[in-house]
Amino acid sequence: MVAVNTQQPFSVTLRVWRQAGPAQPGKFVEYAAKDLSPNMSFLEMLDVVNDELTVKGEEPIAFAHDCREGICGTCSCTINGKPHGPGKGIATCQTYMRSFKDGDTIFVEPFRARAFPVVKDLITDRTAFDTITQAGGFITARAGSAPDANALPIPKGDADLAMDAAQCIGCGACVAACKNASAMLFVSAKVGHLGLLPQGQAERDRRVLAMVNTMDTLGFGSCTNQYECSAACPKLISHDFIARMNRDYLKATFRDAFKPAPAGGGGGA
Amino acid sequence: MATLDSKIPSGPLADKWRKHKTEIKLVNPANKRKYEVIVVGAGLAGASAAATLADLGYKVKCFVFHDSPRRAHSIAAQGGINAAKNYQNDGDSVHRLFYDTLKGGDYRAREANVHRLAEVSVNIIDQCVAQGVPFAREYGGLLANRSFGGAQVSRTFYARGQTGQQLLLGAYSALSRMVGAGAVDLHTNSEMLDLVVVDGQAKGVIIRDLVTGEITRHSADAVILATGGYGNVFNHSTSARGSNTTAIWRAYKRGACMANPCYTQIHPTCIPVSGDYQSKLTLMSESLRNDGRIWAPRKTGDNRAPAEIPEGDRDYYLERLYPSFGNLAPRDIASRAAKRVCDEGRGVGPTGLGVYLDFADAIHRLGEPAVRERYGNLFDIYHEITAESAYKSPMRIYPAVHYTMGGLWVDYNLMSNVPGLFVLGEANFSDHGANRLGASALMQGLADGYFVIPYTVGDYLAGQKPGSRPSVDAPEFKQAEVNVRGMTTRFISNKGQQPVSYFHKKLGKIMWEHCGMARTKAGLEAALQKIPALRDEFNASVNVPGSGDTLNQSLEQAGRVADFIELGELMCRDALTREESCGGHFREEYQHPDGECKRDDEKFGHVAAWEFQGEGKAPVRNTEPLNYEFTKMSVRNYK
Ligand SMILES: Cc1cc2nc3c(=O)[nH]c(=O)nc-3n(C[C@H](O)[C@H](O)[C@H](O)COP(=O)(O)OP(=O)(O)OC[C@H]3O[C@@H](n4cnc5c(N)ncnc54)[C@H](O)[C@@H]3O)c2cc1C
Ligand code: FES
């Protein structure tokens, strides 16, 4: 539990990572954030600092954000060494200044991982997640060809578990939290979500093989079962999905190695 | 003057779409790959359209300003999606969904469009389930439903409080499959800054790469805009910070008509504003009104804590005023009722701009675990923002801008008055009239993308010669690029004193005060003085640090706010000329004695579609009459 500050107004010192571009060196720069309200969000505090910088003619701090309610997965700051900051089960944008005290020094950095190069200041490039999804994170279902939605009852427990995994917001905190920068939690959440549903069975083997193999080529590290990923996940997605995926992957590899050769197809008359 | 032919097919209402589908032109499979279609946006509408068109065989280029298509604002939709499945056996039907939507929109939408929407709603649920969208289910394994405002049946499908997220991830996975297969050329971090019109037809776009600053030209046989709503014109809204009007506004300036821009939806249940630094407002889903009861103290200035106010001193005003719909009265009605209560001095919380949404009865009836299962994530969001627990004391809520029913004018085929330019999702004006019912925006976005555009774009393309799209060296492309570069240079070299946010906040205040929940002639006229003055101030003193050749968020914001200022003016103009009240457009001069909207069907039973005439000139107001063939425009009654 984070201590709750109700004192207002109060001030903090920021040490923010500034980096002009992917190829330039970066460094921490100090800024004072004054007259803060505990009811401000962390990003609103950065807005205020940025407006002050702008008025002084300096370039504001670039940071990623959009929905500001913890669902789009855009925001991605490491605050005092923790991806998304001190709270549990929340994203950067859901961090409120009431979790900090007057006089605190706060370190703000981008998510660090080899597969997520810095674009500018606090913004990183997380395209690798899209690439993994494009390799197999889907169920093939052409519009217009679907059977009635209730034709296939799904036990509530399976649907709920699938939803637990499907909640992933694709922010990358799991990667940033992992000392090996592994993407296993992200990949296993998608593999788990689709693999738990009857609709997902036809492509189950292909999906896990394609997603894991793509992940491996993109510079993510391997999983050594430390589970920092689940602890940093704003949706608290369970690392059980990693174990589940490892089983799926093994089975799929086995089946792939021993699958019978295709009987040969005909083009039809 | 633009011609506004709605192209509504003839014949009985329930047969129009089926008949139209069999009559419109097709492109043969071998020719499809010769056509290139640009899709701007990958929210529910854009992602479903891009994926489906690529699956059909068209070459698709898709642009989004986000760093990934999965971040589109559709991701934030909470409550659910409507469909006339009648799985509850509670009397639902395509006709009833049609009728509820038309009535909910206060009889300002087209009958034929709304009927088609209700028809395809059932296919949407099938499609989403096939993709693996994990909708809520009952113990028997069948799909669960909940109720939303303006309906007396349970037809809303949901995935906890994250329905938009799950539907978008479904559409995103379909799009990703097509990107992986090489059928969609996806450009992220790419903002459309101009539409290119060649020989009167939409044939391309100008894009700025938000990371490198590079400006590029792209030509196509047709252009689809699915760029979302413009609620951020109010600065404070439930939209994501990046949501903007730029794509449709710049298309407007290239000749596409803007329809009913003043129709905005104010959602009754949002977390109240807490301070001047506030960047956005957070919605508390309408689904909460299934079990939460809205009330305010009966007496003015009652400062007691909610638990200390006895039943007799509470006014459950929605239940009192609208007994048959109660807490599930439509949004516009519920919002105005909250405003009235607060205007009377009965509002709660530090600002007096709030009412209670109380779950004590539901917790007593169902137990806390059941309430947690239904709404846990919403209660968590509420707690994060306010540091209060809604399990222990009622939520404080207040209306906030949430959705824009207005948008670019489109015909039945979702094509604007500029041939070749199609507009889908919240960016168009088509289906919700003057007020949208809950859980029907997701339905519309996916209907447009999965089930309507795949047919209608083919009808247009069949009339275009394969390979006839213009080269990007055509003078129209050059001119559009010069236009975009000019804007960037102006912002960067301005070196004024104020950040962009200063102007956005000012605009928001003007819009909320004069073009918000209640509008008057005098107020709108005042706004029409203030906004041009604000534009002059913006042009003279906005400060955009940095350069145009790198990632520059101030520059992105400057362009968007410049467009909002101009759109805001048009909204006020539209609200001023519409001398009636309907749905979300409430003119104080036109109300029934009980405070309900007083429509004027005789004079305003039409769509107003504004046409740009050039900088500094007054736009022309075109109209499309709404001919109701099958339904009677009547006074909405939710009592
Ligand atoms: C908090 C909230 C809750 C909601 N809950 C519900 C609900 O429960 N049920 C319901 O039916 N509706 C709900 N809605 C409404 C609904 O979510 C939206 O109307 C709908 O998702 C809009 O989808 P869209 O595809 O039209 O646009 P969006 O999802 O907004 O997507 C817009 C896309 O366009 C792109 N874009 C925009 N401009 C440009 C440009 N210039 N260049 C390039 N790309 C651009 C963006 O990158 C994005 O991909 C809710 C809305 C909000 C704000
Ligand atoms: S800004 Fe969307 S999750 Fe934080």
Side-chain angles (χ1 to χ4, degrees):
Chain A
M1 198 55 208
V2 180
V4 174
N5 168 16
T6 52
Q7 183 191 354
Q8 70 175 333
F10 73 108
S11 304
V12 296
T13 303
L14 300 177
R15 295 189 54 88
V16 181
W17 185 260
R18 300 298 309 257
Q19 181 172 343
Q24 276 100 320
K27 61 172 196 289
F28 283 104
V29 178
E30 191 168 297
Y31 301 97
K34 297 197 190 99
D35 290 333
L36 305 174
S37 153
N39 293 325
M40 268 178 160
S41 73
F42 186 81
L43 298 184
E44 284 166 350
M45 181 274 296
L46 287 183
D47 289 339
V48 171
V49 170
N50 273 346
D51 279 354
E52 285 166 10
L53 288 176
T54 305
V55 169
K56 284 194 274 182
E58 290 177 39
E59 259 204 77
I61 304 158
F63 65 91
H65 67 97
D66 197 29
C67 75
R68 297 202 175 193
E69 53 189 66
I71 194 74
C72 72
T74 310
C75 61
S76 42
C77 294
T78 294
I79 304 171
N80 287 340
K82 286 189 70 181
H84 289 313
K88 204 170 161 54
I90 56 174
T92 307
C93 60
Q94 297 167 292
T95 300
Y96 278 75
M97 291 311 289
R98 63 178 80 92
S99 350
F100 303 96
K101 298 190 307 295
D102 192 37
D104 275 358
T105 296
I106 307 174
F107 283 80
V108 195
E109 301 166 75
F111 280 1
R112 306 264 186 207
R114 188 153 70 95
F116 295 164
V118 172
V119 174
K120 185 172 181 174
D121 297 344
L122 303 174
I123 301 181
T124 57
D125 179 352
R126 290 165 288 177
T127 315
F129 272 8
D130 289 323
T131 311
I132 294 173
T133 306
Q134 288 154 13
F138 47 76
I139 292 174
T140 299
R142 196 177 47 252
S145 58
D148 184 83
N150 256 351
L152 191 68
I154 299 175
K156 183 168 169 11
D158 290 356
D160 285 349
L161 193 57
M163 179 65 196
D164 287 345
Q167 292 189 77
C168 167
I169 62 173
C171 61
C174 47
V175 177
C178 173
K179 67 177 171 40
N180 308 320
S182 162
M184 287 292 267
L185 190 65
F186 168 77
V187 179
S188 70
K190 190 46 62 188
V191 166
H193 157 211
L194 299 177
L196 275 158
L197 298 172
Q199 307 89 298
Q201 298 313 307
E203 290 162 302
R204 187 167 172 175
D205 287 358
R206 210 156 63 108
R207 176 181 314 118
V208 70
L209 293 175
M211 291 183 81
V212 170
N213 294 340
T214 306
M215 170 182 79
D216 288 344
T217 62
L218 290 170
F220 292 101
S222 53
C223 171
T224 48
N225 304 321
Q226 310 282 311
Y227 305 140
E228 293 294 339
C229 49
S230 287
C233 174
K235 295 292 168 196
L236 298 175
I237 291 176
S238 163
H239 48 76
D240 291 348
F241 289 107
I242 297 181
R244 182 182 274 277
M245 179 169 83
N246 284 332
R247 287 197 300 274
D248 263 25
Y249 185 77
L250 270 179
K251 276 192 231 157
T253 315
F254 186 78
R255 275 197 289 264
D256 195 51
F258 294 99
K259 73 170 175 241
Chain B
M1 283 244 304
T3 37
L4 302 178
D5 178 357
S6 65
K7 306 236 177 69
I8 295 173
S10 60
L13 187 58
D15 289 342
K16 284 181 193 289
W17 178 232
R18 195 166 14 144
K19 179 167 154 285
H20 191 58
K21 283 195 291 185
T22 58
E23 287 174 0
I24 55 183
K25 287 184 271 203
L26 298 175
V27 176
N28 86 49
N31 271 347
K32 286 204 177 83
R33 77 179 89 95
K34 297 182 189 154
Y35 291 105
E36 192 155 324
V37 180
I38 284 177
V39 179
V40 185
L44 286 187
S48 57
T52 310
L53 294 175
D55 219 352
L56 282 170
Y58 295 108
K59 275 175 79 175
V60 176
K61 249 191 197 177
C62 180
F63 298 93
V64 299
F65 75 74
H66 288 96
D67 70 338
S68 161
R70 67 178 291 151
R71 316 239 189 261
H73 189 49
S74 295
I75 201 91
Q78 301 172 349
I81 176 167
N82 287 329
K85 280 287 198 185
N86 194 28
Y87 283 161
Q88 302 299 323
N89 198 25
D90 59 357
D92 200 11
S93 63
V94 166
H95 184 79
R96 199 178 281 274
L97 175 54
F98 153 75
Y99 178 74
D100 286 348
T101 309
L102 197 72
K103 173 184 170 193
D106 215 355
Y107 303 96
R108 287 292 176 266
R110 279 188 205 129
E111 278 182 319
N113 284 60
V114 178
H115 200 278
R116 174 177 64 192
L117 178 63
E119 284 170 57
V120 303
S121 70
V122 296
N123 306 110
I124 294 172
I125 302 303
D126 300 343
Q127 174 64 21
C128 294
V129 167
Q131 285 170 344
V133 171
F135 283 123
R137 289 180 181 264
E138 297 161 355
Y139 282 101
L142 301 177
L143 291 160
N145 290 113
R146 53 168 56 142
S147 306
F148 257 59
Q152 288 170 314
V153 294
S154 272
R155 61 160 77 98
T156 305
F157 294 79
Y158 62 100
R160 296 194 191 146
Q162 289 140 269
T163 316
Q165 180 197 27
Q166 294 310 314
L167 296 175
L168 182 66
L169 293 181
Y172 162 73
S173 70
L175 175 63
S176 296
R177 180 170 78 89
M178 288 291 114
V179 174
V184 172
D185 180 10
L186 173 68
H187 299 254
T188 55
N189 291 311
S190 297
E191 184 161 34
M192 169 192 155
L193 293 179
D194 211 346
L195 176 75
V196 183
V197 179
V198 180
D199 295 333
Q201 312 216 36
K203 290 293 169 195
V205 293
I206 306 293
I207 298 287
R208 178 170 182 271
D209 183 315
L210 300 181
V211 173
T212 64
E214 193 191 356
I215 292 172
T216 49
R217 312 170 190 172
H218 302 264
S219 93
D221 296 283
V223 177
I224 297 174
L225 302 185
T227 51
Y230 52 82
N232 276 343
V233 66
F234 290 88
N235 184 34
H236 282 160
S237 83
T238 61
S239 299
R241 282 312 284 164
S243 298
N244 67 85
T245 189
T246 291
I248 62 170
W249 188 252
R250 304 218 174 154
Y252 163 76
K253 288 187 152 184
R254 294 282 175 196
C257 287
M258 183 71 78
N260 303 330
C262 80
Y263 288 171
T264 36
Q265 175 162 87
I266 317 278
H267 195 293
T269 56
C270 302
I271 302 179
V273 177
S274 74
D276 199 40
Y277 49 79
Q278 187 129 358
S279 58
K280 75 158 288 175
L281 295 173
T282 302
L283 174 76
M284 287 286 102
S285 166
E286 179 158 310
S287 59
L288 292 169
R289 291 198 272 147
N290 275 279
D291 290 304
R293 298 178 68 196
I294 293 183
W295 64 275
R298 204 169 280 285
K299 294 195 289 270
T300 60
D302 188 340
N303 298 330
R304 286 176 290 178
E308 282 156 26
I309 302 181
E311 276 303 305
D313 288 350
R314 299 177 176 196
D315 178 16
Y316 295 88
Y317 56 86
L318 288 178
E319 296 170 25
R320 172 170 61 80
L321 294 166
Y322 308 100
S324 55
F325 282 75
N327 290 296
L328 285 172
R331 291 176 176 176
D332 54 335
I333 289 179
S335 290
R336 276 195 294 278
K339 177 176 190 296
R340 245 175 277 139
V341 163
C342 296
D343 288 351
E344 286 164 22
R346 298 196 282 135
V348 300
T351 59
L353 294 177
V355 294
Y356 291 123
L357 177 59
D358 198 333
F359 295 88
D361 284 356
I363 291 171
H364 183 71
R365 180 165 37 95
L366 306 163
E368 193 176 309
V371 171
R372 192 180 295 277
E373 160 149 354
R374 280 183 204 174
Y375 310 113
N377 74 316
L378 298 170
F379 281 44
D380 290 347
I381 294 177
Y382 186 78
H383 180 254
E384 278 144 26
I385 295 176
T386 63
E388 291 170 13
S389 165
Y391 296 104
K392 300 210 177 78
S393 59
M395 286 182 179
R396 280 178 297 109
I397 50 143
Y398 196 67
V401 173
H402 177 59
Y403 183 86
T404 49
M405 282 75 70
L408 289 184
W409 183 89
V410 288
D411 64 16
Y412 187 73
N413 295 318
L414 303 182
M415 188 160 87
S416 74
N417 58 301
V418 176
L421 178 68
F422 293 80
V423 193
L424 318 184
E426 192 171 339
N428 75 23
F429 88 110
S430 70
D431 293 357
H432 308 293
N435 173 55
R436 173 177 72 78
L437 287 187
S440 57
L442 301 180
M443 168 172 73
Q444 183 222 334
L446 292 180
D448 290 359
Y450 285 132
F451 296 109
V452 179
I453 197 72
Y455 290 92
T456 59
V457 91
D459 188 46
Y460 168 77
L461 291 174
Q464 307 294 304
K465 232 172 89 218
S468 70
R469 63 178 168 271
S471 138
V472 292
D473 297 326
E476 290 84 352
F477 278 91
K478 287 193 182 143
Q479 188 267 336
E481 184 183 323
V482 167
N483 175 39
V484 166
R485 285 189 189 280
M487 259 184 276
T488 304
T489 315
R490 267 199 310 284
F491 288 134
I492 297 284
S493 56
N494 206 46
K495 306 270 179 254
Q497 303 81 43
Q498 296 293 351
V500 177
S501 66
Y502 167 86
F503 302 96
H504 201 177
K505 284 182 187 166
K506 265 189 141 175
L507 175 68
K509 287 207 174 102
I510 299 172
M511 294 301 292
W512 181 244
E513 190 178 334
H514 299 303
C515 202
M517 258 189 289
R519 303 156 175 190
T520 63
K521 180 167 188 285
L524 290 162
E525 282 170 350
L528 287 170
Q529 300 289 320
K530 290 182 194 172
I531 297 173
L534 181 66
R535 185 175 49 205
D536 292 344
E537 192 191 346
F538 175 83
N539 288 337
S541 58
V542 71
N543 186 340
V544 178
S547 89
D549 304 331
T550 58
L551 188 146
N552 185 336
Q553 293 175 315
S554 308
L555 178 62
E556 294 163 26
Q557 265 321 94
R560 294 170 189 168
V561 170
D563 293 341
F564 279 137
I565 294 175
E566 295 182 1
L567 168 70
E569 185 177 345
L570 186 70
M571 288 167 69
C572 292
R573 209 181 266 275
D574 187 42
L576 181 65
T577 39
R578 186 167 283 278
E579 295 177 325
E580 64 163 352
S581 294
C582 54
H585 169 64
F586 188 73
R587 284 282 301 265
E588 285 183 2
E589 303 94 320
Y590 309 100
Q591 52 179 309
H592 291 289
D594 58 359
E596 303 292 356
C597 285
K598 192 168 175 186
R599 290 200 323 260
D600 184 344
D601 296 337
E602 196 69 29
K603 286 219 306 266
F604 292 98
H606 60 235
V607 176
W610 295 87
E611 190 181 349
F612 185 67
Q613 300 292 309
E615 300 294 347
K617 294 197 188 126
V620 166
R621 186 179 191 270
N622 300 299
T623 59
E624 177 206 328
L626 289 168
N627 298 319
Y628 276 40
E629 286 180 78
F630 306 92
T631 330
K632 196 170 141 319
M633 286 187 178
S634 54
V635 177
R636 285 193 309 174
N637 182 0
Y638 290 98
K639 290 197 168 139

